[in-house]
Structures are given as structure tokens and as C-alpha cells.
Amino acid sequence: MTINHILPFLSTAIMLYFTLFVLQRYYVRRAPHFLFWGIGLAMFGAGSFAEAYLALSWNRWVFFVWYLFGAALNAAWIGHGTLALLVRKRWVNVVTGILVVGSLYAGYLMLRVMPNLDTGIFTTDKLISEQYGTKVLAPGETAPTGAQTISTTYRGEDVTAVRGLLPLGTPVRLTTPFFNIYGLLTLVGGAIWSAYLFWRKRVLPNRVLGNVLIAAGALLIGSASTLTRLGYGQFLYLGELLSAILMFAGFRFAARPQPDEVVQPAVAVAAD
């Protein structure tokens, strides 16, 4: 067992505690943004656990959890929590409905592809992030060492591709960038904006630091995911662990009470 087999378990433990911390605040305050954050964090934790499991053994439904919740949806739900906090407009409810419908549709697409998974290439010798998708090789490009290739027709052309669990052209893979981009923009953008508001008004320095840490964590996992799609999946698990630590520290800093501070009601608080 290598360090990359252990890191997802650590991420899962942190995200479990983090999720309970956020959902407990939702239970007390009934604020929707805590619910959205809690759902997204629970998805993050489920994806981390699935990664850890798949490093030891194959299970198609664990893979379903890993891809749908870990790779596709969690960033969008966490980011939507930040949007719901910072923007108190009716159109946010419309976005919530779109996110729910989109998530259910992604789940439906994932269910459709499950019977077509190329499970023959799965191995515990590789990280799941390095073997989940079939990739077309560009002309002159060579396959990674140890990779299995196939010759097939894709979009009307004869191509050589590195075999992956998800077949070429799987529709659910086309939805993933939309969820991830939305999550990255709302989480990072919201954290930076709220940190700027607090800095400009010279109040709540703990929340400025907290929101900077949240933004850094979101950027880190976004960068690690991008590297995975480029073929450098060995950095994903470390990126997830550091992202979980940074975001959790950010939320705790931002939520730290300061009895002497005066807060202007008009300012939105990213970890109220």
C-alpha cells in the first residue's frame, strides 16, 4: 500500500467531520446555504471514500459513487451554497432547480453507462483517476507505459485510444466540466468577493483570512482535477487532502466569534 492509497482515507475522515460541522449549523439556523454546503461536502467525502475503496478492490457501484459525486457534482453543490449565501435574489431559486435537475440527469446518464463499463482494464496497481476514461491518442502520440490500447472508429474516424472504464463519447463525461466550472466560479469568486468586502470595511479580519483559505482550497482541487484530465492523476489525492484541510480551516476561521466586532447587516458572511 502506497501513500496514494492512504490519502483518500484521510480526506474522507476530514470531510466527514467537516460535513457534520456544517449540517449541525443548518439544523440550528435552517439557512439554505448550510444545506447546500453540507450536501456538497458529503459528496466530496463519498468520492474520497470511493477512491480509497477502489485502490484496494473493484466494485462498479463504488465507481458510480466516485465518478458522479467525487468527479462531477460536489464542487457545484459547494459553490452553490456560497451563491445562496451571497446573493439573496429570487433567481437563485431558479438556479437551485436547474442544479437539482442537472444532478438528477447526470445520475441518469451515469446509470445508463454502467452496463458498458470496460471493467477488464481495471487494476489496483493504478489510481482510479488514471484509468477511468478512454482517451484518443493524437497522431504521433504514444500510449503511457503499461496502458492498453484499442483501435476503433470515433466520430467517423479510425483512431487509436487508451482503454478506460468509461467508453469514448460517454455523455455523462460531457456534463462534468459544466458542474466543475460552475462550482469553481461560485466558490472561488464568492470567497474572494466576500473577503474583499470585509477587507474594504476593515472588519472581521478572521473572515478575510477564512475566505482566502476557502478560495485557495477550491483552486487547489480545481488544479489537481485539471492535471488529472491531462494525464497527471498522481497529484489528485494529495490535492484533495490539502483542499479539504484548507477549506475546513477557512470555514473555522471565518466562523470564529469576535464579541467586540460590529458587523454591517448588508455584508454577506461566507461562513455565517
Side-chain angles (χ1 to χ4, degrees):
M1 180 177 289
T2 67
I3 187 64
N4 275 325
H5 293 117
I6 298 172
L7 291 179
F9 284 110
L10 296 178
S11 298
T12 300
I14 293 171
M15 296 310 296
L16 175 61
Y17 182 76
F18 194 180
T19 301
L20 294 175
F21 173 80
V22 171
L23 290 179
Q24 187 272 338
R25 286 180 169 248
Y26 171 71
Y27 177 78
V28 172
R29 303 189 185 185
R30 299 296 177 180
H33 57 275
F34 285 120
L35 177 60
F36 298 139
W37 278 335
I39 292 172
L41 294 170
M43 290 178 175
F44 193 131
S48 294
F49 176 78
E51 287 174 350
Y53 185 98
L54 292 170
L56 303 174
S57 180
W58 168 252
N59 182 288
R60 66 175 55 244
W61 295 110
V62 174
F63 176 76
F64 175 93
V65 169
W66 175 78
Y67 191 83
L68 183 63
F69 297 139
L73 298 181
N74 73 86
W77 281 89
I78 297 172
H80 189 66
T82 298
L83 180 70
L85 172 63
L86 296 176
V87 181
R88 306 300 174 87
K89 302 291 185 180
R90 290 185 178 179
W91 60 261
V92 174
N93 294 329
V94 177
V95 178
T96 301
I98 293 173
L99 179 60
V100 171
V101 172
S103 298
L104 292 174
Y105 184 62
Y108 164 74
L109 292 177
M110 192 65 193
L111 286 173
R112 286 193 61 184
V113 78
M114 292 300 289
N116 300 322
L117 296 179
D118 187 3
T119 57
I121 61 97
F122 176 80
T123 173
T124 56
D125 294 332
K126 291 183 179 181
L127 306 178
I128 190 63
S129 56
E130 296 178 315
Q131 55 181 317
Y132 74 90
T134 303
K135 176 188 175 184
V136 174
L137 294 175
E141 183 182 4
T142 58
T145 303
Q148 301 180 40
T149 61
I150 55 172
S151 296
T152 185
T153 301
Y154 180 59
R155 296 179 178 176
E157 297 182 4
D158 294 331
V159 299
T160 300
V162 176
R163 290 174 62 188
L165 290 160
L166 292 173
L168 282 175
T170 302
V172 71
R173 294 185 65 186
L174 302 179
T175 68
T176 303
F178 294 99
F179 288 112
N180 287 333
I181 290 171
Y182 173 71
L184 189 63
L185 291 176
T186 50
L187 183 56
V188 176
I192 293 174
W193 175 245
S194 56
Y196 166 73
L197 289 178
F198 290 128
W199 173 81
R200 189 182 64 180
K201 294 176 179 294
R202 299 296 191 271
V203 296
L204 304 178
N206 62 306
R207 288 181 177 172
V208 174
L209 176 59
N211 281 290
V212 169
L213 290 173
I214 292 169
L219 284 171
L220 181 60
I221 187 58
S223 299
S225 298
T226 299
L227 287 173
T228 298
R229 287 192 290 274
L230 294 175
Y232 300 96
Q234 66 269 28
F235 299 108
L236 179 63
Y237 298 161
L238 179 60
E240 287 181 344
L241 177 61
L242 295 178
S243 174
I245 293 171
L246 285 172
M247 287 196 292
F248 184 52
F251 273 93
R252 294 305 299 264
F253 268 111
R256 182 178 297 171
Q258 293 190 7
D260 296 330
E261 66 199 9
V262 177
V263 183
Q264 301 218 8
V267 178
V269 179
D272 186 12

